[in-house]
């Protein structure tokens, strides 16, 4: 079975998706499962894991609806606010959906380079293992130091480093 491990879907909204800057203008449009079905069929891809592109519970619910309507969506990596006191309730709610595989936070956009090490965030991460959820780490290379310290705190947690931490390839910097 061949699975696309990281796929995004959205109904494009200029304000909501302001992160799609002029360098990415070609993706300023809706991307939905209907756009992908034919491509997958032509290339022998059996399915995908869809990953959140917006940090709201509505986004997670949107992805779950798409997964319910499309069998080729095999898993969902959604978003919950891991810092809130109600995290147990949120995780319990999503545990009723078999396709929820994990969560992520857009750490690359956080002004605090040590965001992953904040006590409230660490407390939320500590709750994921109970539900066998993975955590996708979305960072830039300058955040790798904090990330290493972060993952060492959770030896039994499943982690994915999205986009190989977005190395600065276009700048010619590979060593870091």
């Amino acid at each position: 079975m061949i699975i696309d491990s990281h796929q995004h879907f959205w109904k494009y909204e200029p304000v909501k998706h302001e992160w799609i800057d002029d360098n990415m203008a070609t993706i300023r449009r809706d991307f939905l499962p209907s756009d992908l079905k034919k491509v997958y069929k032509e290339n022998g891809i059996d399915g995908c894991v869809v990953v959140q592109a917006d940090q709201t519970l509505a986004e997670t619910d949107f992805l779950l609806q798409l997964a319910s309507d499309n069998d080729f969506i095999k898993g969902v990596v959604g978003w919950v606010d891991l810092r809130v006191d109600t995290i147990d309730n949120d995780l319990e709610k999503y545990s009723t959906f078999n396709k929820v595989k994990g969560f992520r936070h857009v750490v690359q956009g956080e002004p605090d380079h040590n965001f992953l090490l904040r006590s409230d965030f660490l407390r939320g991460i500590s709750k994921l293992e109970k539900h066998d959820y993975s955590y996708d780490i979305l960072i830039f290379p300058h955040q790798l130091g904090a990330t290493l310290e972060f993952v060492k705190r959770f030896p039994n947690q499943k982690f994915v480093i999205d986009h190989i931490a977005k190395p600065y390839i276009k700048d010619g910097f590979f060593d870091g």
Side-chain angles (χ1 to χ4, degrees):
M1 180 177 281
I2 299 173
I3 300 294
D4 176 351
S5 64
H6 190 110
Q7 182 63 48
H8 296 292
F9 294 117
W10 60 72
K11 293 181 182 176
Y12 179 71
E13 298 174 31
V15 174
K16 180 179 173 182
H17 298 107
E18 65 184 344
W19 57 270
I20 303 176
D21 62 20
D22 290 341
N23 293 326
M24 299 182 281
T26 58
I27 64 170
R28 284 185 178 148
R29 66 175 187 86
D30 294 353
F31 279 94
L32 296 168
S34 58
D35 296 306
L36 203 52
K37 281 182 184 178
K38 182 180 178 195
V39 173
Y40 279 2
K41 187 173 183 168
E42 290 171 352
N43 292 283
I45 307 296
D46 298 300
C48 69
V49 176
V50 65
V51 179
Q52 62 81 231
D54 184 36
Q55 298 192 132
T56 64
L57 295 176
E59 168 83 350
T60 303
D61 295 341
F62 167 70
L63 298 177
L64 282 169
Q65 185 61 55
L66 292 178
S68 175
D69 295 343
N70 297 274
D71 289 339
F72 76 91
I73 299 176
K74 306 297 185 189
V76 171
V77 174
W79 181 87
V80 292
D81 191 343
L82 293 159
R83 301 164 294 178
V84 296
D85 291 335
T86 58
I87 188 60
D88 289 306
N89 293 337
D90 293 336
L91 294 176
E92 197 62 41
K93 169 190 167 186
Y94 288 115
S95 72
T96 63
F97 297 91
N98 291 339
K99 288 191 177 183
V100 174
K101 304 303 178 187
F103 298 94
R104 90 170 178 171
H105 184 93
V106 183
V107 175
Q108 73 180 26
E110 293 292 341
D112 179 359
H113 297 300
N114 291 312
F115 177 87
L116 290 169
L117 302 175
R118 289 182 172 185
S119 60
D120 56 353
F121 191 75
L122 293 170
R123 183 180 48 77
I125 292 291
S126 73
K127 310 284 185 172
L128 297 178
E129 187 181 344
K130 172 185 173 187
H131 299 282
D132 197 32
Y133 289 137
S134 64
Y135 179 73
D136 279 36
I137 303 170
L138 180 57
I139 57 168
F140 287 126
H142 67 271
Q143 296 167 307
L144 281 167
T147 301
L148 181 58
E149 187 176 334
F150 168 69
V151 299
K152 284 181 178 179
R153 294 178 185 220
F154 301 98
N156 299 314
Q157 177 61 47
K158 295 180 289 187
F159 291 106
V160 174
I161 297 182
D162 288 346
H163 310 288
I164 60 172
K166 296 188 173 184
Y168 303 124
I169 293 170
K170 70 179 178 181
D171 298 325
F173 181 74
F174 300 96
D175 294 338

